[in-house]
Amino acid sequence: MKFFFHVGQYFTLLKKVFGRPEKLRLYVRQLFHEIDTLGVNSVWIVIIISIFIGGIMTIQFAYSMSNPIYPTTLVGLGTRDTLILEFSSTMLALIMAGKIGSNITSEIGTMRVTEQIDSLEIMGVNSASYLILPKIVAVVFIFPFLFIISVFFGLLGGLVTGPIAGVISIPDYIEGIQWLFYPYYITFSLIKSVVFGFLVASVPAYFGYYVKGGSLEVGKASTTAVVNTNILILFFDLILTRLLLT
Amino acid sequence: MIEVKNIYKSFDGANVLKDISNRFEQGKTNLIIGRSGSGKTVLLKSILGLYDIDQGEIWYDNREFVKMHHKERKKLRREIGMVFQGGALFDSLSVEANIRFPLDMFTHQSPVEKKKRVEFCLEHVNIEKSAFKLFPSEISGGMQKRVAIARAIALNPKYLFCDEPNSGLDPETATIIDQLIQHLTREFEMTTIINTHDMNSVIEIGESVLFIAKGEVAWTGSNKEILETRNKKLNDFIFANKLYAQLREEKN
Ligand SMILES: Nc1ncnc2c1ncn2[C@@H]1O[C@H](COP(=O)(O)OP(=O)(O)O)[C@@H](O)[C@H]1O
Ligand SMILES: [Mg+2]
């Protein structure tokens, strides 16, 4: 019952979010601000995580395929495809739900409990649209870039770590990451990024917008928002994989 | 002038407002008083349309608010200024930008005109130039309230609403805020409605007072009459403060 209530209220909110903006210029200003705070500030963490994960995966693939019947190129291929298909799209979205999502819930939730949202409404501003639309657009815009950055640095992580650990040579690795490459995997994951970006911005925004109470409730709402966003990401990952890949 | 007629409002079956009727006059500070939880905020937000009422009429001069369409309501809101209990300043914007926000949103003024208006409003609430660039978290509670008032008057409203404008302030600052609101109300001929549970405010600026208890109108009058009243509920409210009990005894 509660589930259907939330779904209904979520779509009601989205309808408000995509209503006509009051002044486009102010929205654009807000959009650049959000791209900066939500997107650009996430680049470093994405790079660091991706380098480590790429490196770790390369070592693990090399160990599990140390039997000489496997071609050494499988290590590069395994790292590449795991990055593209799951890590840099899905796992990264889960991590970003924790960072960006909780940030969005607490920001909007705080504005709700301190009556800043009421204040916008009194002025006649469509608060849902003004606060949430720029965030959704910003995150949907930035996610594909984060995906590409993550794949690139993940592969780089493997390239650096593999040879240092002595599990694979540079030429083998480079040959591997080019072996049996399907460009469609990239398209598939870019589609996923866009969907996940939408979830990571809109679901936490929803939980923040309808918060009731004080700062304690805002904290709780952040946690609820992140958990629900994660479940939805995995659910949509399943559906999209089924629809687009098999 | 704002007039409410027979307003009812309930939340999940709990009646919070019961048959409230009153007239709030232009150019006067109209007070809504009552204990915490008596329904003052709900009444204010109902008049503003932040809550939809179950029954009743709300008149802004000759315009009835409840029957208005979304668009007409939006237009009316340009004539309304509101000071929230906690100030509700946008904490991502500087003092100056907070005042500029409604101007950016709803006017086509040039940057120079906006700057003038921002300065005009902030000067009217005695905020010094050195504080213009500060953020809400960097200024005192009393200053936040004054900035909130400045933002509320930015679009030159006909109607001003204040929810406990001096809660959380020391008595001296509270009096300054009260007087400021009264002064602005007279200067700009606004219809001002103020929620408060502070007896000092009632005595100071209660030109017209609506006392509500448990969501019902229990008394109406002015600060001149309030100390003389024999209304039981009102007496309990007022003379909870010993000082006022003493004051009345001295008078009699
Ligand atoms: N959004 C709401 N949902 C349910 N009940 C509410 C809501 N807002 C206020 N109430 C209830 O209405 C009553 C009056 O509250 P309020 O108007 O805030 O009192 P106050 O006079 O202190 O401003 C309280 O009992 C409060 O619990
Ligand atoms: Mg209140």
Side-chain angles (χ1 to χ4, degrees), chain A residues 65-87:
Chain A
M65 291 169 191
S66 52
N67 191 317
I69 61 165
Y70 299 119
T72 46
T73 42
L74 268 181
V75 175
L77 177 141
T79 306
R80 180 200 70 208
D81 283 355
T82 314
L83 281 172
I84 294 177
L85 287 175
E86 279 308 310
F87 179 77

Side-chain angles (χ1 to χ4, degrees), chain B residues 13 40 230:
Chain B
K40 300 182 297 291
R230 296 286 161 208

